[in-house]
Amino acid sequence: MLSVLFLTAAMVFSTPQADGDPQLHEGNVKEVIAAMTVEEKCMLLTGGRAEMFKSGAYIKVKPPGAAGVINYIPRLGVPAIVLADGPAGVRIRPHRPGDPRTFYCTGFPIGSMISSTWNTELVYQAGVAMGEEARDYTIDVLLAPGINIHRNPLCGRNFEYYSEDPFLTGKIAAAMINGVESQGVGTSLKHYAVNNQETNRLANNSILSERALREIYLKGFEIAVKEAQPWTIMSSYNYINGEHASQSYRLLTTILRDEWGFEGVVMSDWGAGYDPVAQVSAGNDLIQPGKDWIYNALVKAAKEGTLKQEDLDKSVERVLNMALKTHRYKGYVPAEKTDIEAHAKVCKMVADEGVVLLKNENAALPVSNSQKIALFGVTSYDFIAGGTGSGNVHRPYVVDMKQGLSDAGFMLDQTVDKFYAGYMADEKQRCDRINGENGWHIDRERAIEVVPEDLIKKSAETADAAFITIGRVFGEGRDRNYHYSYLLTDDENRLIECVSKAFHAKGKKLTVILNIGGIVDVCTWRDKADAIILCWQPGMEGGHTLASVIDGSVNPSGHLPATISTSYKMEPTVDNFPQVYTDKPFNYSFYRQLDGSVRNLIRNIDYTLYQEDIYVGYRYFNTFNKKAVAYPFGYGLSYTDFSFDSMTCEQVEGGWKVRVKVTNKGKVAGKDVVQLYVKAPKGKLDQPERELKGFAKTPLLDPGQSADVEMFIPKESIASYDESVSGWVTAPGTYTFVAAKDAQDDSCKQKIRID
Ligand code: BGC
């Protein structure tokens, strides 16, 4: 279709360079802006548009599968900027028509596993590897990390996000951003903000108090902005208290820029917002993915003066400043191949530290590789490396349990193996037919669980130990279903029951591996397993990580970034989350109002009340006497034991220096995490029982070895947001600093008096 706009677009790009046209360089940004036409400015702020793609303008620039581009202006030497997802690695298509090369990317562990490491240095390294890969594949900005709060376990995108706690979230995000950006590649910290459900995500209105907004939902962003200053931030789809996030001046300018000092570009999520003029006026510089009507509206408003030139120019300036930082601008021409082998090693290192050992009765683990293992569960043979949607990565391979264990020298029960080989081949054909070519895979069909009872009994005679892998995969666009995603299915329960009975009857042990993107029910079946390993979706080296944990060459040191409650019904948000008990998930754009107004009809669809306020996750369970959770926030076992002692808190310039001595009391080397919680006195404001304000991971400690762990707690970090004064206030009184192993532990305490 050759629309008028297409002609305009083509003209903008084909305007030849004239004598005297300034060429963008450091120091002449303002001059370039002065030389730009209104059309060029609006083009720069309106993502890569379909017309430009059709005209072939981006064929050489944008790798297939990259999420978007920022338009170039050749006349002024302004390069295109290429954007690609996402949180678990670069998402581009691995094949290109007529090109024999492949462009696979490393599939890193999902966000929830990255944060389970509690190791910011390691996360930085993962960021470096992702940044290298983005650079090698000509990507200028990685659309990651995703840091929305795990408010409810059934949010379909929790896997991309880090934690229920904003402090852990912010620290991990800052490390990731600093790692990626050390490679000259930008990041886009997303989705800003309060985007905690997928159901009706384009139009849902999150209704919450200012205190919850500041302390829980913005805090992670605040920490990451202040400690890492990302190149970009992605504004979210939803409304916040009736105002669209991407059109909120208060959110994007007053808080983000004026209060926190953000200097970069704000870009909208793909298709977010209704009013482009309101977006740019609010400080949402760039609107993605770029549509004719958006460009039109901006040009019209700029010409009529309803979009102030000052606002337009400010946004253009930010984009140009970012362009100057890119490899593309600097003329670096990458080889379009990357060191997958080196990055796979980083991927495994992160996964190794992100595995959370939930249960290990009578030292069921580790298991020597001289033991014969019976491997059950379809997920053992169709292992899940990561989630779907924009959080997906096209990886060159996935090491499953079978391959991982075999590579580590374990012998597998051949009869069991043979049975699954046949069954999985049939199931693969069925699933491939259903899944087709759809790369997005919101509802990827997977093999149906099977309970081969006779085989189980037989293998209990010959094998030494049994392992069952339970899998869950989901992603962007849908929230999870309580029946089919949170609870284990009847077949899965029967499989656990049957294997447990048969192996226990022979005095042999069962380990259940949870290969999941988000929390599932554990209480109805955990008594039947001797050990439980939560390996999340550990990326493409998953099977190798699991084998290392199983044979003990890696001692688990991951800790939960979210509470696992005893049942979904115990969650503080259970009444304030979309109806997930039904079979019929809501389409994510289902109730979008075309005029952009909020439709206040259906609770949890049109609007969601954040009635739990600041009491999300452990803040709720700890404060309201609901401590009987399945596994508390911060929990994680090791094959060794650690003691914490000799805690000191020294008042220093700007805060406190907390020191704790950690000693490995057991028989094998390992790492542990010291979690520093602060219990504030009840002053004018109600306070959670405790809040995480610091953490540190030890180096690998040999048996008997100690390390002094040090954490700095800035003064301002213990303040609470007081709505009556619209500011952060530290109440006078006695604060307790607790060095703990998890959110319910009280290993060491120190009292601090603050007047
Ligand atoms: C997602 C973003 C993603 C973008 C580009 C949107 O649907 O919400 O997280 O970065 O698509 O793929």
Side-chain angles (χ1 to χ4, degrees):
M1 191 186 67
L2 248 152
S3 66
V4 174
L5 259 151
F6 170 65
L7 288 173
T8 320
M11 275 158 49
V12 167
F13 283 82
S14 61
T15 309
Q17 191 183 328
D19 278 353
D21 279 348
Q23 297 298 292
L24 180 69
H25 62 74
E26 203 105 29
N28 80 340
V29 171
K30 290 241 173 359
E31 193 193 339
V32 170
I33 297 173
M36 285 170 89
T37 62
V38 165
E39 284 81 2
E40 283 170 331
K41 290 178 185 174
C42 295
M43 198 62 149
L44 194 70
L45 306 187
T46 315
R49 295 172 39 220
E51 284 64 30
M52 297 312 299
F53 288 114
K54 273 188 224 151
S55 74
Y58 288 121
I59 284 178
K60 288 215 183 87
V61 174
K62 181 181 161 295
V69 290
I70 303 177
N71 295 311
Y72 54 23
I73 306 169
R75 160 178 106 79
L76 300 169
V78 178
I81 298 176
V82 179
L83 321 166
D85 289 302
V90 180
R91 186 174 69 91
I92 54 172
R93 266 187 230 130
H95 302 288
R96 297 178 191 171
D99 191 335
R101 296 172 301 168
T102 55
F103 303 87
Y104 285 107
C105 298
T106 306
F108 289 90
I110 57 169
S112 306
M113 184 175 214
I114 289 175
S115 56
S116 296
T117 64
W118 295 63
N119 184 340
T120 49
E121 278 161 34
L122 191 57
V123 176
Y124 179 88
Q125 284 183 51
V128 169
M130 287 187 202
E132 277 174 9
E133 214 153 285
R135 180 203 61 205
D136 292 347
Y137 283 135
T138 71
I139 303 302
D140 300 304
V141 177
L142 188 71
L143 304 174
I147 65 161
N148 298 88
I149 290 291
H150 291 190
R151 173 175 175 261
N152 179 291
L154 297 186
C155 170
R157 291 187 88 171
N158 275 357
F159 75 96
E160 294 182 58
Y161 306 149
Y162 291 143
S163 174
E164 72 184 24
D165 180 82
F167 181 78
L168 179 61
T169 296
K171 289 286 177 181
I172 298 287
M176 176 60 77
I177 294 164
N178 283 329
V180 174
E181 297 200 347
S182 71
Q183 299 309 300
V185 169
T187 55
S188 194
L189 183 64
K190 66 191 189 183
H191 309 87
Y192 183 68
V194 208
N195 178 192
N196 304 98
Q197 68 182 60
E198 287 302 280
T199 306
N200 200 27
R201 66 177 178 165
L202 293 170
N204 177 260
N205 183 19
S206 306
I207 300 177
L208 75 170
S209 73
E210 185 65 15
R211 184 176 179 198
L213 178 72
R214 297 288 191 143
E215 291 187 13
I216 306 294
Y217 298 97
L218 295 190
K219 199 55 170 179
F221 286 97
E222 181 182 352
I223 294 170
V225 165
K226 289 182 174 165
E227 295 188 8
Q229 194 60 257
W231 287 16
T232 83
I233 284 192
M234 192 187 290
S235 58
S236 59
Y237 284 126
N238 51 293
Y239 293 80
I240 303 171
N241 294 330
E243 193 176 27
H244 199 283
S246 73
Q247 299 174 190
S248 167
Y249 183 86
R250 182 166 178 264
L251 194 68
L252 306 182
T253 298
T254 313
I255 297 178
L256 181 62
R257 292 182 162 113
D258 300 346
E259 287 185 25
W260 301 346
F262 177 64
E263 292 162 2
V265 169
V266 173
M267 70 173 84
S268 72
D269 198 345
W270 269 231
Y274 299 88
D275 181 348
V277 177
Q279 285 177 305
V280 176
S281 308
N284 191 110
D285 308 302
L286 175 69
I287 302 162
Q288 285 291 354
K291 296 267 190 280
D292 285 345
W293 72 269
I294 292 174
Y295 168 76
N296 266 343
L298 290 180
V299 172
K300 185 165 179 282
K303 289 192 168 164
E304 287 172 357
T306 40
L307 173 58
K308 285 197 242 146
Q309 186 180 335
E310 190 196 336
D311 290 339
L312 184 62
D313 287 358
K314 244 191 262 165
S315 291
V316 168
E317 186 174 349
R318 291 183 191 125
V319 176
L320 293 181
N321 279 331
M322 175 164 76
L324 285 167
K325 296 195 260 187
T326 61
H327 287 300
R328 199 176 304 273
Y329 171 79
K330 293 176 184 159
Y332 171 73
V333 185
E336 294 200 70
K337 58 177 192 237
T338 197
D339 194 347
I340 295 267
E341 217 178 297
H343 299 155
K345 287 194 184 121
V346 180
C347 166
K348 178 165 186 293
M349 273 159 51
V350 177
D352 285 355
E353 287 212 16
V355 167
V356 185
L357 183 63
L358 293 177
K359 178 175 181 183
N360 194 19
E361 229 160 64
N362 302 319
L365 295 172
V367 171
S368 140
N369 71 357
S370 61
Q371 303 244 312
K372 191 203 269 187
I373 285 183
L375 198 52
F376 295 100
V378 292
T379 307
S380 295
Y381 303 86
D382 179 17
F383 201 72
I384 305 164
T388 64
S390 61
N392 188 15
V393 178
H394 300 287
R395 340 158 166 88
Y397 60 84
V398 177
V399 179
D400 62 16
M401 286 293 296
K402 179 183 162 176
Q403 188 189 337
L405 290 171
S406 308
D407 289 352
F410 280 96
M411 223 196 339
L412 297 177
D413 183 322
Q414 286 308 307
T415 351
V416 175
D417 192 46
K418 214 165 135 209
F419 165 78
Y420 275 100
Y423 178 75
M424 292 304 285
D426 292 347
E427 280 293 272
K428 185 171 180 322
Q429 278 189 14
R430 183 183 67 81
C431 296
D432 283 353
R433 267 198 310 275
I434 297 172
N435 290 330
E437 286 296 297
N438 176 10
W440 199 256
H441 285 321
I442 284 181
D443 296 315
R444 185 158 82 88
E445 180 73 9
R446 303 195 67 241
I448 294 169
E449 199 57 85
V450 60
V451 189
E453 291 191 26
D454 292 341
L455 183 69
I456 292 169
K457 280 188 204 132
K458 242 189 6 241
S459 100
E461 312 261 344
T462 51
D464 299 307
F467 285 75
I468 298 175
T469 312
I470 298 291
R472 288 288 181 280
V473 65
F474 39 84
E476 176 175 358
R478 294 270 167 83
D479 290 312
R480 294 166 60 201
N481 180 284
Y482 170 70
H483 287 296
Y484 305 112
S485 191
Y486 184 82
L487 292 183
L488 265 53
T489 63
D490 290 348
D491 286 336
E492 288 168 337
N493 276 318
R494 268 201 320 121
L495 181 67
I496 293 175
E497 167 87 41
C498 211
V499 175
S500 168
K501 243 197 198 147
F503 277 73
H504 286 162
K506 300 282 171 202
K508 296 173 183 174
K509 294 183 173 150
L510 164 65
T511 298
V512 173
I513 294 164
L514 295 174
N515 179 200
I516 54 181
I519 284 162
V520 295
D521 170 64
V522 292
C523 284
T524 49
W525 56 269
R526 66 174 164 167
D527 290 348
K528 302 186 175 88
D530 304 280
I532 304 174
I533 302 172
L534 169 58
C535 75
W536 298 107
Q537 291 164 350
M540 66 191 199
E541 283 286 321
H544 286 148
T545 283
L546 261 310
S548 303
V549 167
I550 290 167
D551 73 12
S553 49
V554 164
N555 186 354
S557 63
H559 288 255
L560 287 177
T563 309
I564 304 185
S565 61
T566 46
S567 98
Y568 181 67
K569 290 172 185 140
M570 298 300 288
E571 293 291 335
T573 48
V574 68
D575 294 328
N576 290 306
F577 197 74
Q579 183 45 257
V580 287
Y581 298 106
T582 152
D583 236 355
K584 299 186 192 85
F586 290 100
N587 185 297
Y588 59 90
S589 55
F590 202 64
Y591 287 115
R592 190 174 195 182
Q593 304 264 87
L594 288 177
D595 66 355
S597 58
V598 182
R599 199 189 74 147
N600 274 317
L601 283 181
I602 311 178
R603 184 167 172 180
N604 297 334
I605 304 290
D606 294 325
Y607 63 94
T608 300
L609 303 174
Y610 284 47
Q611 284 177 326
E612 73 288 352
D613 203 52
I614 58 166
Y615 297 99
V616 175
Y618 70 88
R619 286 170 168 77
Y620 167 78
F621 295 108
N622 277 16
T623 311
F624 298 105
N625 250 335
K626 311 266 183 204
K627 285 195 174 172
V629 298
Y631 301 106
F633 172 84
Y635 179 86
L637 298 173
S638 160
Y639 296 149
T640 186
D641 292 317
F642 295 94
S643 67
F644 294 178
D645 54 58
S646 316
M647 177 181 185
T648 59
C649 296
E650 185 193 342
Q651 181 144 18
V652 292
E653 169 92 32
W656 296 270
K657 203 181 263 172
V658 178
R659 283 200 198 86
V660 182
K661 186 170 157 208
V662 181
T663 307
N664 182 349
K665 297 275 194 196
K667 295 196 174 65
V668 290
K671 296 183 179 183
D672 204 5
V673 175
V674 180
Q675 301 163 32
L676 199 278
Y677 295 91
V678 174
K679 302 181 182 208
K682 188 172 159 12
K684 197 171 120 208
L685 300 175
D686 285 336
Q687 294 293 352
E689 188 262 347
R690 65 176 65 186
E691 291 184 290
L692 185 74
K693 299 293 178 190
F695 63 89
K697 194 152 194 176
T698 68
L700 191 73
L701 297 176
D702 285 328
Q705 198 184 349
S706 299
D708 282 326
V709 162
E710 198 175 283
M711 289 161 286
F712 174 67
I713 315 299
K715 249 190 209 154
E716 58 274 12
S717 75
I718 63 163
S720 305
Y721 194 84
D722 185 345
E723 292 174 9
S724 70
V725 297
S726 299
W728 295 89
V729 171
T730 304
T734 303
Y735 288 70
T736 312
F737 284 26
V738 187
K741 299 190 165 181
D742 61 51
Q744 294 194 4
D745 178 53
D746 277 326
S747 283
C748 297
K749 287 186 199 174
Q750 285 279 319
K751 289 202 188 307
I752 309 274
R753 175 84 211 158
I754 296 178
D755 299 314

